[in-house]
Amino acid sequence: MQTHKPRTPEADRTRRWFMNRSLLLGGAAAVTAMTGCSAGSATTAGSASAASGGVPSGMPSGGPGGMGPGATEVKYADFVGVTTDGTVVDDLYAIHSTGVSTDAVVQAAQAFLDGLTTEERRAAVFEVDADEWLAWSNVDGYRREGARMGDLTEKQRDLGYALLGAALSADGLTRSRNIMKLNAFLGDYSGGGKDTLTEGAYCFTFMGTPSTTEPWGFQYEGHHLAVNYFVLGDQVVMTPTFMGSEPTSATYDGEEITLFEKETRAGLTLLRALTAAQRKKVVSGEAKAGDNLKAGAGQDNLQLAHQGLAASEFTQAQRAKLLDLVRVYVGYMADGHADVRMKEVEAHLDDTYFFWIGEAEDSSAFYYRVHSPVVLIEYDAQSPLAYGNTSGGGGGTGGPGGTPTQQHIHTVVRTPNGNDYGVDLLRLHLENDH
C-alpha cells in the first residue's frame, strides 16, 4: 500500500504559525484563514478583519481550550500522553486477546480504501506511527489531510459511513452523524458560503494497512468531531474522541436534533447522588468560565492533576452511577469493545476522581471531569461563538469571556499514561514481536 509522505518542515511551520496566531488573536476570526482537507478544499476567509475582532459569515467554533495543534504541537516520537505530573504510570496496558472480533471494521476499512481512486488513497494513507495521528483539531477552520467526504461520490461516502458503523455503536454513529448535521445547520444559520460548515467537511485518514494481526488505525475528523481508532489484533483504542456541537439542539432539514442529553443527565445524576460533604470536595469554588476544557486537541502531553473526590470514598450506589456516566462515553464505540473498555475502567475505579465546576440545575452550564489512570472524560458547556450569542462578554464572539450555555458543548475522552492512539500497545508490539 502506498503511504502518504510526511508533512514537510514548511507545512509544519505554516500550521504552527497559523494556530499560534489564532490563539493570539482569540481564535475566532483568524482561524478562518485555513480550511478543509488537503485535496483542494480550502476556501477564502470572510471579509471581517481578524485584527479588529470582526466575525465573518460562517464563523467557526473553537477557543483556546480546543484550538488544536499550535506552537506546542507534539510529534509522535515525543508522545507521552496525559499524566498527572509528567510521570507515566507503567504496566497499565498489555497486549492480550479480548475475544471481540475486529474483522468487521477491518473489512469495512479495506472496502473504503478499495473504493478510493489512486490519488485519493495516496492522500489518505500514512505510516502507522505518523505524526498525523496527533494533528487533529475540533475547529472548522483547519487544514486537514485525507479523503474529504464532501469530495467523494455517494458510493464512496456510503463505504465511509459503513466503516464508522462497524467501528462505533449505533448510538455513536447516530451521534456522529447528528454532529455533522448540526455543523451544516450552523453554516446555514451563519449565512452559508463556507464549505467547512457542511455535512461533507469531514476527513478520513488511515495509519497503516487494515489487518487482523498487524497494527493499524484510522482517524475521522472535522468541526466538533474527531475519532481516533487504533486496532491491534482484537484490541481497540478509540481515543482521543472529541464530540461537540454548537448548537446542541436545532431542526435541520426537517429533523429535530438534540445532542448531549445523556451526558448532561448522567453528570447531574451522579452529582446529585453525593452527600453534602462529598459535594464540597467535588464542586470547585471557581466560577464557570466560557471554556474550561483541558484535554482538547493539541494537549497530548498534558499534565493534569487529579481534582475532586476519588471513588474510593463513594458508596456502592454512587460507584454504580459513576460507571453509568463513564459508559455513556465509552458507549460511543461498538458494544463488545465498549464492554472490554469498561472492565479496564472498573479495575481502577478506586483511583477514579470526579470533579465539577458550576451550578447543578437542569439548565445550568457546567463542567465536569472523570479522571483515572486509564480514562479521562471531560464535559464542558461553553460560551457561544456563533449561535445565539447575546452575552456581549466575548468581544462579540463569545469564547472564554462570554456566558456559557448548554447550546455549545465540548466533550473529550482520552486514555492517559501513554495509550491514546494506541501508542503504548504499538510500543509493546514492536518490542515483543519485532
Side-chain angles (χ1 to χ4, degrees):
M1 175 178 290
Q2 291 179 300
T3 55
H4 199 290
K5 293 181 180 180
R7 295 180 184 275
T8 64
E10 290 78 11
D12 278 341
R13 282 197 296 272
T14 299
R15 172 178 292 215
R16 286 195 291 269
W17 174 88
F18 163 72
M19 297 308 294
N20 192 40
R21 178 170 171 79
S22 297
L23 290 171
L24 290 172
L25 293 173
V31 85
T32 59
M34 187 178 289
T35 58
C37 300
S38 61
S41 62
T43 60
T44 302
S47 59
S49 167
S52 64
V55 183
S57 174
M59 184 191 68
S61 179
M67 284 301 301
T72 59
E73 181 177 343
V74 177
K75 299 298 183 182
Y76 192 95
D78 301 320
F79 176 84
V80 175
V82 176
T83 62
T84 58
D85 59 4
T87 302
V88 174
V89 179
D90 292 327
D91 301 323
L92 291 173
Y93 312 106
I95 296 175
H96 62 94
S97 176
T98 66
V100 182
S101 176
T102 55
D103 288 355
V105 73
V106 170
Q107 294 168 7
Q110 192 61 59
F112 177 77
L113 285 170
D114 288 345
L116 298 179
T117 67
T118 300
E119 182 179 353
E120 289 166 341
R121 186 164 175 154
R122 183 180 297 115
V125 179
F126 295 77
E127 300 294 340
V128 70
D129 58 350
D131 292 339
E132 192 62 27
W133 273 120
L134 283 65
W136 61 271
S137 177
N138 56 280
V139 302
D140 78 320
Y142 187 70
R143 176 183 174 272
R144 292 182 162 88
E145 302 290 340
R148 182 180 184 272
M149 291 292 268
D151 296 335
L152 302 180
T153 66
E154 183 178 357
K155 182 178 180 180
Q156 289 173 319
R157 285 195 297 272
D158 287 344
L159 290 171
Y161 290 132
L163 171 54
L164 290 178
L168 305 177
S169 64
D171 180 64
L173 178 60
T174 299
R175 187 173 306 268
S176 299
R177 291 290 286 111
N178 284 342
I179 288 171
M180 297 166 66
K181 291 174 182 178
L182 289 185
N183 185 52
F185 170 88
L186 183 62
D188 294 342
Y189 172 88
S190 302
K194 192 168 191 297
D195 71 0
T196 57
L197 296 179
T198 69
E199 288 190 67
Y202 294 83
C203 302
F204 273 109
T205 52
F206 292 80
M207 287 59 161
T209 303
S211 170
T212 57
T213 57
E214 294 301 309
W216 70 282
F218 74 88
Q219 184 180 85
Y220 185 72
E221 63 141 346
H223 188 208
H224 278 142
L225 178 63
V227 176
N228 291 281
Y229 198 95
F230 174 85
V231 181
L232 177 59
D234 62 7
Q235 289 181 269
V236 168
V237 178
M238 201 179 89
T239 61
T241 294
F242 183 103
M243 293 190 178
S245 190
E246 183 190 16
T248 57
S249 182
T251 299
Y252 173 68
D253 199 19
E255 180 183 2
E256 294 184 7
I257 300 172
T258 299
L259 294 171
F260 302 111
E261 287 183 306
K262 290 182 179 179
E263 293 84 347
T264 301
R265 184 169 58 251
L268 287 168
T269 297
L270 175 56
L271 184 69
R272 291 169 180 173
L274 303 180
T275 66
Q278 289 173 319
R279 287 181 67 163
K280 286 183 179 180
K281 297 180 181 179
V282 167
V283 180
S284 172
E286 66 182 290
K288 176 71 180 76
D291 179 357
N292 290 97
L293 199 75
K294 302 296 184 184
Q299 300 298 319
D300 289 300
N301 286 352
L302 175 70
Q303 294 183 31
L304 183 65
H306 288 138
Q307 290 179 274
L309 184 65
S312 59
E313 299 187 46
F314 285 7
T315 66
Q316 284 302 114
Q318 291 167 340
R319 289 161 70 94
K321 287 180 172 59
L322 173 59
L323 288 172
D324 288 344
L325 171 58
V326 174
R327 181 71 194 215
V328 170
Y329 293 86
V330 171
Y332 296 153
M333 64 196 306
D335 295 341
H337 297 294
D339 291 340
V340 172
R341 178 72 161 136
M342 286 303 298
K343 291 179 181 178
E344 185 177 68
V345 172
E346 289 183 56
H348 298 273
L349 195 59
D350 280 350
D351 297 321
T352 303
Y353 286 75
F354 184 52
F355 178 63
W356 188 282
I357 301 174
E359 302 298 324
E361 301 300 323
D362 288 351
S363 60
S364 297
F366 49 78
Y367 164 93
Y368 66 74
R369 182 192 312 153
V370 176
H371 189 183
S372 88
V374 296
V375 70
L376 172 63
I377 295 168
E378 290 187 281
Y379 167 108
D380 191 22
Q382 302 194 341
S383 59
L385 294 179
Y387 180 77
N389 177 40
T390 58
S391 67
T397 61
T403 301
T405 168
Q406 285 189 20
Q407 278 286 35
H408 187 192
I409 290 174
H410 286 185
T411 69
V412 68
V413 185
R414 283 187 175 269
T415 304
N417 292 297
N419 209 31
D420 272 339
Y421 316 103
V423 172
D424 199 55
L425 289 185
L426 179 59
R427 177 185 61 81
L428 292 170
H429 171 76
L430 295 176
E431 287 178 353
N432 297 325
D433 298 340
H434 290 72

